[in-house]
Amino acid sequence: MSVYYINALVIYQESQAMENSKFLSHSTKIYLDRNLQIIIGITLMAVLGSSSIGPVLPTMASALEVPPEKVGLVITAFVVPIAIGTPISGVLADRFGRKQILIPSLLLFAIAGVACSFAPNFRTLLELRFLQGVGAASLEALALTLISDLYTGKSLTSAMAFNASMIGMSLAVYPLISGGLATWGWRYPFLLPLLAVPIVLAVIFFLELPSFEKPPKFRLKVYLRNIWHSVNNSQVLGLLFAVVALFILLFGPYFTYIPMLAGDVFEASHVAIGIILATMALSLAFVSSQVALFPQSLSEFTLIKVSFVLYTLAVIITPLLQNMWLLIIPSILFGAAHGMCFPATQALLGKFAPQDYRAGFMAVNATVLSIGQALGPLLAGVAFGVWGMAGVFYAAAGFSVLSLGLISRLFVTTD
């Protein structure tokens, strides 16, 4: 299929897109909406790139002779290009259209991801992961943008929460699948990005988007200035800092060093590590589903603050545990915290995002998210080098408490 044909088909479908999703009533079962299902598929591909390799890390480090303090670079190499490329993809999506950016991004994500399974050494693996991250750069931001395009009010909060709930379910399934595949070899989980191919077809043929009137002339300077004015207020800055902090905590002490703790200290198997990580995901899915079903009775600001209390408790108790299976307790706490914090921050940011440059605004959000993902393993690696395994979690506890204090000061709106 030629690029010209794809573009023509995309333009035709967008011109025929229905506006009905934008005006869904609260009684509508939003999770049955085909648009939302496709968007969730896009989100799950972004999640796949970073969360499916946790159970593989110990075996991969051993096979490629990678020291523990450097194993997190496999995650960092993936998220750094996301942090760099997400703002660019947001500008392009506002300028040329959502689908025109999504389709090639998903294809690159799939091709580079599968190529990782054939990497002969650690350096090549990092290079291919970087390329896969380039493909993933638009996925998270545009998924959130599409939800903000299609839904308003409490329907927006519900859609964001269902999106987060499905992320939780995927975080339960991906580690189990990855752990199972890793019993054959560390390379097999890197074949999972092939799942992006049917998502590409769904985006091309079935995703219906509302058409927005675009300004007659696109001026990048004006566009960027408008985004800056929207971001530069205490509430948005507080929300963005909350996003950075929650992903530092998730990708540093949790996704990188809980598998290392389970594998190196407790000598856990790949399957056992997958089960431990799955409990966090199930907790995330359950809590965020409750946010989705009952958004009118919940305050987003309160959910964010409570979540950081749970993050702090989770990392404090982790180094005190003497049994591998007790790691399920901080996993559940991490899941509950993320299930509250992520949909709450995304729904509030979606409400702040102006229509004319929504993709760019949400790209700032996704860039901040990626920065948190990239910093998490690096900062945790520094803590590991200085204070050892326990120091990773105690340093994370201090960071969580400081984050809660700063977020509370930046939130000028009272609950």
Side-chain angles (χ1 to χ4, degrees):
M1 183 182 295
S2 69
V3 174
Y4 299 104
Y5 176 74
I6 291 175
N7 286 337
L9 180 59
V10 166
I11 293 170
Y12 171 76
Q13 288 188 329
E14 288 185 346
S15 69
Q16 299 296 316
M18 299 172 64
E19 298 271 1
N20 59 323
S21 295
K22 191 73 176 178
F23 305 103
L24 283 172
S25 65
H26 295 310
S27 62
T28 302
K29 294 181 179 180
I30 196 171
Y31 54 85
L32 297 178
D33 181 36
R34 186 171 64 183
N35 285 329
L36 181 59
Q37 293 170 352
I38 296 172
I39 293 167
I40 287 172
I42 297 167
T43 299
L44 296 186
M45 290 302 98
V47 175
L48 174 67
S50 54
S51 66
S52 64
I53 65 169
V56 183
L57 292 178
T59 301
M60 185 206 66
S62 176
L64 298 180
E65 300 180 351
V66 181
E69 64 270 18
K70 292 185 178 180
V71 70
L73 291 175
V74 177
I75 298 175
T76 301
F78 176 77
V79 298
V80 164
I82 297 177
I84 297 171
T86 295
I88 299 172
S89 67
V91 175
L92 295 175
D94 278 331
R95 180 68 180 89
F96 298 107
R98 315 307 196 213
K99 290 188 180 183
Q100 284 83 352
I101 305 304
L102 271 174
I103 293 168
S105 296
L106 284 165
L107 289 174
L108 177 59
F109 172 84
I111 294 169
V114 171
C116 289
S117 65
F118 300 98
N121 52 57
F122 190 58
R123 176 176 176 177
T124 302
L125 177 62
L126 294 181
E127 292 169 350
L128 290 170
R129 286 283 289 172
F130 185 92
L131 187 60
Q132 187 186 19
V134 174
S138 70
L139 302 185
E140 183 79 11
L142 287 187
L144 299 173
T145 299
L146 292 173
I147 293 175
S148 300
D149 284 341
L150 292 166
Y151 308 100
T152 58
K154 290 299 182 180
S155 292
L156 173 59
T157 302
S158 292
M160 289 292 187
F162 273 118
N163 188 54
S165 180
M166 292 302 101
I167 291 174
M169 292 300 295
S170 73
L171 291 175
V173 173
Y174 289 159
L176 292 175
I177 295 175
S178 179
L181 292 174
T183 60
W184 297 340
W186 67 266
R187 299 178 184 275
Y188 287 92
F190 287 100
L191 297 175
L192 291 173
L194 280 173
L195 294 171
V197 174
I199 303 298
V200 172
L201 298 177
V203 169
I204 293 173
F205 294 107
F206 301 112
L207 182 61
E208 298 176 338
L209 300 178
S211 56
F212 299 119
E213 183 178 351
K214 296 181 180 179
K217 178 179 285 189
F218 181 82
R219 297 180 179 177
L220 181 61
K221 185 176 181 179
V222 174
Y223 174 89
L224 295 177
R225 184 170 63 243
N226 288 335
I227 292 178
W228 168 247
H229 288 160
S230 298
V231 170
N232 190 25
N233 72 73
S234 61
Q235 291 185 19
V236 174
L237 292 175
L239 290 169
L240 293 177
F241 180 79
V243 171
V244 171
L246 72 93
F247 278 95
I248 286 176
L249 292 168
L250 189 66
F251 278 78
Y254 190 79
F255 276 135
T256 303
Y257 281 92
I258 279 195
M260 298 298 292
L261 174 65
D264 295 345
V265 177
F266 296 115
E267 299 182 349
S269 66
H270 295 301
V271 174
I273 295 173
I275 292 172
I276 291 169
L277 296 179
T279 59
M280 186 282 289
L282 292 174
S283 175
L284 190 164
F286 175 76
V287 172
S288 57
S289 69
Q290 301 310 298
V291 175
L293 292 172
F294 307 105
Q296 67 280 357
S297 62
L298 301 170
S299 164
E300 288 90 349
F301 287 112
T302 297
L303 289 173
I304 293 169
K305 294 173 184 176
V306 171
S307 69
F308 276 92
V309 175
L310 295 179
Y311 283 130
T312 303
L313 179 61
V315 291
I316 284 178
I317 68 173
T318 297
L320 303 176
L321 302 176
Q322 301 298 316
N323 183 281
M324 174 190 69
W325 294 112
L326 291 179
L327 292 174
I328 290 174
I329 297 173
S331 292
I332 291 173
L333 292 174
F334 259 102
H338 203 73
M340 295 179 189
C341 195
F342 185 69
T345 56
Q346 300 312 295
L348 289 172
L349 287 167
K351 293 173 184 178
F352 278 111
Q355 175 183 304
D356 291 342
Y357 37 96
R358 180 172 289 139
F361 183 96
M362 297 305 286
V364 173
N365 165 49
T367 300
V368 165
L369 184 156
S370 299
I371 290 172
Q373 292 177 339
L375 286 176
L378 292 177
L379 294 176
V382 171
F384 179 86
V386 175
W387 298 300
M389 185 68 75
V392 171
F393 298 100
Y394 291 134
F399 173 74
S400 183
V401 171
L402 292 174
S403 298
L404 176 60
L406 180 58
I407 291 166
S408 297
R409 290 182 63 87
L410 289 173
F411 284 166
V412 297
T413 300
T414 58
D415 296 324

